[in-house]
């Protein structure tokens, strides 16, 4: 393929040609890199997880019961010898020591031999036939005690039993189920511990036990494990199948029902079984409800904005045609109508942009000290022409100037939108009240109208995007109808408390609070 320079062609063209080359020239390469990875379903995943868990348990069981059985058996034997030797050492001066030695030999199958420094026997007890320490010579016994010259810890040693067994016995010479011949695997364990008596003598405590070959035991356990393993695998397969279906069934139903969310519908699972799935279904039901309401609000917003756009566009078109067809109508008054309606359209578009910017959080507040009282007075001056021509009354009588910490531009936007909303929905008296109430370290701004009020069930939703309530739409004298959403976004960005109180038939009061900084600033 000829080289393509990015300087001559755009990157989209380069990538497109490379993709076409791969699809036509290298189908194997294409299939290897363009195919999607297959995902395992949750039901299969749980089923495999249960089986793997059972396999891991079986592997551990075989490991400890077969592989490490010999080592564990040796450790247990040594531990038993240590306990027996410790009991004899602690009771070395007891007159009933022989009774204790006999009991240990009988119960634990241990041979006991206590000698003096010359290896002369002081006490003995046999727990099994063929005990090694009772057949050892004096030199053999002394050889076991030489380690005490440097270390007083217990001496432990092991011996093969081949030299101590009857080597003339051969199981092949007999018929039937006879004892097997010695294989040389049998071993005996001997421990020696030195102890001083109360009369100053030094005695040696010899213990000897047989480390029985565990082959027969291992074979027995292995046969049991075969049966247990097969049983566990079958039970695990059935349990995995049952549990995977039981756990995933509500999830599968939830996933299937969630496909209807694109139509703003959702039917909850009848038997969720688990708390998390029940909560998920509740959230999906709420999501479907919210989607329906958002869709209704969007349709209503489109209708309202269409209404707001249609009127100024109709006026602009009408006045423009009149000025074109009738030269006498081409005057400053008609031009002013076109300019006013164009500004109204600009206000509507800017309000939509302001709402999106405020909700995106891209325009962070720039905090500074603001004279709140002076700010409100400046805003009310903008309504002077409206109050003069339309007959509206905006009453504001603060007791003193108050300064707050806020973004002055955004604060003006909040007050402007709330006053505009009050003017839009005030009553026949056309009166709006703006109150500034000082409460300790905070100041509360209230903007009230005398309109029809808002029903209690609608009051929690008035701040939501696209929401206009169920009252007939009234085209605002000033503004776009998106003011409350902008107000909420700005106050949330400032982390300020705000709200609305309304009584049907008496009007609505919107309020928000700001922390006071320096009243005399």
């Amino acid at each position: 393929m000829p080289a393509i320079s990015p300087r001559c062609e755009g990157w989209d063209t380069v990538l497109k040609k490379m993709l076409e080359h791969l699809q036509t020239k290298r189908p194997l390469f294409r299939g290897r890199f363009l195919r999607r990875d297959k995902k395992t379903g949750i039901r299969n995943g749980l089923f495999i997880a249960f089986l793997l868990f059972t396999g891991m348990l079986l592997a551990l069981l075989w490991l400890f019961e077969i592989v490490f059985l010999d080592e564990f058996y040796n450790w247990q034997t040594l531990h038993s010898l240590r306990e027996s030797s410790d009991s004899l050492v602690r009771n070395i001066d007891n007159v009933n020591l022989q009774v204790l030695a006999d009991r240990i030999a009988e119960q634990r199958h241990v041979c006991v031999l206590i000698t003096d420094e010359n290896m002369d026997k002081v006490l003995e007890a046999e727990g099994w036939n063929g005990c090694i320490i009772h057949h050892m010579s004096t030199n053999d016994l002394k050889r076991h005690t030489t380690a005490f010259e440097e270390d007083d810890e217990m001496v432990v040693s092991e011996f093969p039993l081949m030299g101590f067994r009857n080597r003339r016995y051969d199981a092949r010479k007999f018929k039937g189920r006879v004892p097997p011949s010695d294989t040389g695997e049998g071993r005996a364990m001997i421990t020696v511990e030195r102890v001083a008596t109360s009369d100053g003598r030094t005695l040696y405590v010899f213990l000897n036990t047989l480390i029985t070959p565990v082959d027969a035991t291992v074979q027995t356990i292995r046969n049991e494990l075969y049966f247990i393993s097969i049983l566990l695998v079958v039970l695990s397969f059935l349990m995995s199948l049952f549990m995977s279906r039981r756990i995933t069934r509500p999830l599968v139903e939830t996933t299937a029902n969630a496909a209807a969310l694109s139509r703003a519908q959702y039917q909850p699972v009848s038997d969720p079984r688990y708390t998390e799935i029940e909560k998920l279904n509740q959230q999906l039901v709420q999501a479907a409800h919210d989607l329906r309401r958002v869709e209704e609000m969007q349709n209503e917003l489109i209708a309202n904005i269409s209404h707001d756009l249609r009127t100024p566009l109709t006026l602009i078109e009408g006045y423009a045609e009149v000025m074109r067809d009738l030269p006498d109508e081409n005057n400053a008054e008609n031009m002013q109508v076109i300019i006013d309606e164009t500004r109204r359209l600009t206000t509507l578009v800017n309000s939509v942009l302001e709402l999106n910017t405020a909700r995106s959080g891209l325009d962070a507040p720039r905090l500074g000290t603001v004279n709140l009282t002076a700010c409100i007075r400046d805003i009310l001056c903008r309504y002077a022409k409206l109050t003069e021509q339309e007959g509206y009354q905006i009453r504001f009588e603060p007791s003193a100037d108050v300064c707050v910490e806020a973004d002055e531009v955004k604060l003006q936007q909040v007050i402007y939108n709330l006053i505009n909303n009050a003017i839009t929905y005030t009553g026949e008296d056309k009166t709006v009240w703006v109150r500034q109430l000082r409460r300790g370290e905070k100041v509360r701004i209230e903007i009230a109208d005398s309109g029809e009020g808002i029903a209690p069930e609608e009051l929690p939703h008035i701040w939501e995007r696209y929401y206009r309530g169920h009252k007939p739409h009234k085209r605002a004298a000033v503004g776009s109808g998106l003011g409350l959403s902008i107000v909420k976004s700005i106050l949330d960005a400032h982390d300020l408390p705000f709200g609305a109180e309304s009584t049907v038939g008496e009007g609505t009061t919107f309020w928000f609070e700001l922390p006071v900084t320096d009243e005399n600033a």
Side-chain angles (χ1 to χ4, degrees):
M1 184 181 73
I4 302 175
S5 174
R7 296 181 180 178
C8 301
E9 300 184 59
W11 281 109
D12 53 342
T13 306
V14 175
L15 294 176
K16 182 178 180 181
K17 290 187 176 182
M18 290 178 64
L19 185 60
E20 291 175 354
H21 174 74
L22 293 176
Q23 292 176 342
T24 56
K25 304 295 183 181
R26 299 287 299 276
L28 295 178
F29 180 87
R30 177 195 61 187
R32 186 176 303 169
F33 286 91
L34 298 183
R35 65 187 179 192
R36 293 183 177 180
D37 294 335
K38 295 183 178 180
K39 303 296 183 182
T40 302
I42 186 172
R43 177 174 295 178
N44 294 334
L46 285 174
F47 179 75
I48 295 173
F50 277 122
L51 290 181
L52 290 177
F53 180 71
T54 303
M56 183 176 62
L57 289 181
L58 286 174
L60 290 175
L61 186 62
W62 276 78
L63 184 65
F64 284 99
E65 292 295 330
I66 302 299
V67 178
F68 297 137
L69 181 61
D70 193 21
E71 286 77 6
F72 182 78
Y73 178 78
N74 291 347
W75 175 86
Q76 185 67 29
T77 302
L78 178 59
H79 179 70
S80 178
L81 287 179
R82 288 183 183 275
E83 287 185 346
S84 302
S85 180
D86 182 68
S87 299
L88 293 171
V89 168
R90 288 175 176 271
N91 297 275
I92 198 64
D93 294 319
N94 196 309
V95 295
N96 297 315
L97 183 61
Q98 181 65 54
V99 178
L100 176 61
D102 292 338
R103 181 58 177 170
I104 290 176
E106 176 187 358
Q107 186 181 32
R108 300 181 181 178
H109 303 285
V110 175
C111 290
V112 181
L113 176 63
I114 300 178
T115 65
D116 56 15
E117 292 180 309
N118 298 320
M119 299 298 112
D120 293 332
K121 182 177 67 175
V122 176
L123 181 149
E124 67 176 349
E126 292 190 19
W128 54 284
N129 295 328
C131 180
I132 295 178
I133 56 176
H134 291 99
H135 296 81
M136 281 185 174
S137 64
T138 301
N139 293 332
D140 291 335
L141 293 175
K142 283 185 177 181
R143 189 165 56 249
H144 283 80
T145 61
T146 54
F148 287 110
E149 295 178 0
E150 299 179 357
D151 190 358
D152 286 338
E153 293 293 329
M154 177 184 290
V155 177
V156 181
S157 58
E158 295 183 11
F159 282 89
L161 294 178
M162 194 64 182
F164 297 90
R165 295 290 184 89
N166 186 359
R167 287 176 289 181
R168 295 181 301 172
Y169 178 78
D170 188 355
R172 294 174 296 180
K173 297 179 180 180
F174 304 95
K175 298 179 181 180
R177 300 179 65 86
V178 297
S181 304
D182 287 336
T183 60
E185 297 179 358
R187 292 172 297 158
M189 182 177 291
I190 299 175
T191 64
V192 185
E193 193 167 1
R194 184 168 59 186
V195 60
T197 62
S198 58
D199 56 5
R201 293 190 303 165
T202 299
L203 302 180
Y204 293 93
V205 179
F206 291 85
L207 293 182
N208 175 216
T209 189
L210 179 65
I211 304 178
T212 306
V214 294
D215 291 346
T217 305
V218 169
Q219 186 60 42
T220 302
I221 296 176
R222 185 179 289 113
N223 293 336
E224 291 181 350
L225 284 179
Y226 286 142
F227 174 76
I228 293 174
S229 298
I230 295 174
L231 182 62
L232 282 179
V233 168
V234 174
L235 291 178
S236 174
F237 178 83
L238 297 177
M239 182 63 69
S240 301
L241 189 62
F242 172 76
M243 291 300 297
S244 62
R245 290 180 178 274
R246 179 177 176 83
I247 293 175
T248 60
R249 179 175 297 172
L251 285 175
V252 173
E253 293 179 3
T254 300
T255 303
N257 295 347
L261 279 175
S262 60
R263 303 186 300 274
Q265 299 175 359
Y266 181 75
Q267 180 65 33
V269 177
S270 58
D271 184 17
R273 295 179 184 172
Y274 306 101
T275 304
E276 292 79 6
I277 300 179
E278 183 178 7
K279 291 182 179 179
L280 175 61
N281 276 263
Q282 293 174 356
Q283 292 293 331
L284 292 176
V285 170
Q286 183 63 37
H289 175 72
D290 293 342
L291 286 174
R292 287 195 300 271
R293 188 171 59 176
V294 167
E295 185 176 359
E296 294 172 358
M297 292 178 182
Q298 287 176 333
N299 293 333
E300 185 177 357
L301 176 69
I302 293 173
N304 292 337
I305 291 182
S306 299
H307 178 272
D308 285 337
L309 290 175
R310 187 181 299 111
T311 301
L313 288 175
T314 301
L315 288 174
I316 292 172
E317 181 183 11
Y319 274 84
E321 289 178 352
V322 168
M323 294 171 63
R324 181 195 63 187
D325 298 336
L326 302 176
D328 295 339
E329 296 296 330
N330 191 357
N331 51 48
E333 183 179 355
N334 291 339
M335 291 292 294
Q336 187 62 42
V337 172
I338 294 177
I339 292 173
D340 291 340
E341 296 302 322
T342 303
R343 288 175 178 172
R344 186 182 301 281
L345 290 175
T346 303
T347 301
L348 177 62
V349 174
N350 289 339
S351 296
V352 175
L353 294 177
E354 289 170 1
L355 176 61
N356 290 333
T357 302
R359 286 186 173 271
S360 65
L362 298 176
D363 190 9
R366 298 176 177 87
L367 300 181
T369 302
V370 181
N371 190 318
L372 179 61
T373 310
C375 180
I376 296 176
R377 289 195 184 101
D378 292 340
I379 293 174
L380 296 183
C381 290
R382 305 176 190 175
Y383 289 92
K385 184 178 180 180
L386 178 66
T387 56
E388 179 182 348
Q389 295 180 353
E390 303 290 339
Y392 286 95
Q393 300 181 33
I394 304 178
R395 297 180 179 179
F396 177 58
E397 298 178 355
S399 58
D401 285 6
V402 175
C403 293
V404 296
E405 188 78 11
D407 186 324
E408 184 173 4
V409 175
K410 294 185 179 299
L411 182 60
Q412 290 177 351
Q413 195 173 2
V414 169
I415 298 173
Y416 178 86
N417 285 332
L418 290 179
I419 293 177
N420 183 50
N421 182 79
I423 290 175
T424 303
Y425 294 106
T426 193
E428 295 180 358
D429 58 1
K430 295 186 177 182
T431 302
V432 174
W433 291 269
V434 180
R435 305 185 185 99
Q436 176 184 291
L437 307 175
R438 177 71 181 271
R439 297 182 177 180
E441 298 299 323
K442 292 186 177 181
V443 60
R444 181 185 179 106
I445 300 300
E446 294 182 352
I447 300 175
D449 62 61
S450 58
E452 299 178 1
I454 303 173
E457 63 273 12
E458 295 183 10
L459 197 59
H461 306 296
I462 59 175
W463 306 99
E464 296 178 4
R465 198 173 188 179
Y466 311 130
Y467 192 83
R468 281 184 177 268
H470 300 294
K471 65 181 62 177
H473 173 64
K474 176 182 177 182
R475 182 170 174 262
V478 181
S480 62
L482 299 176
L484 293 183
S485 296
I486 298 174
V487 168
K488 180 179 183 302
S489 299
I490 294 175
L491 294 177
D492 283 340
H494 280 77
D495 196 22
L496 297 176
F498 63 93
E501 301 170 356
S502 183
T503 302
V504 177
E506 297 182 7
T508 305
T509 300
F510 291 88
W511 61 269
F512 64 94
E513 294 181 349
L514 301 100
V516 177
T517 55
D518 185 2
E519 188 175 2
N520 298 320

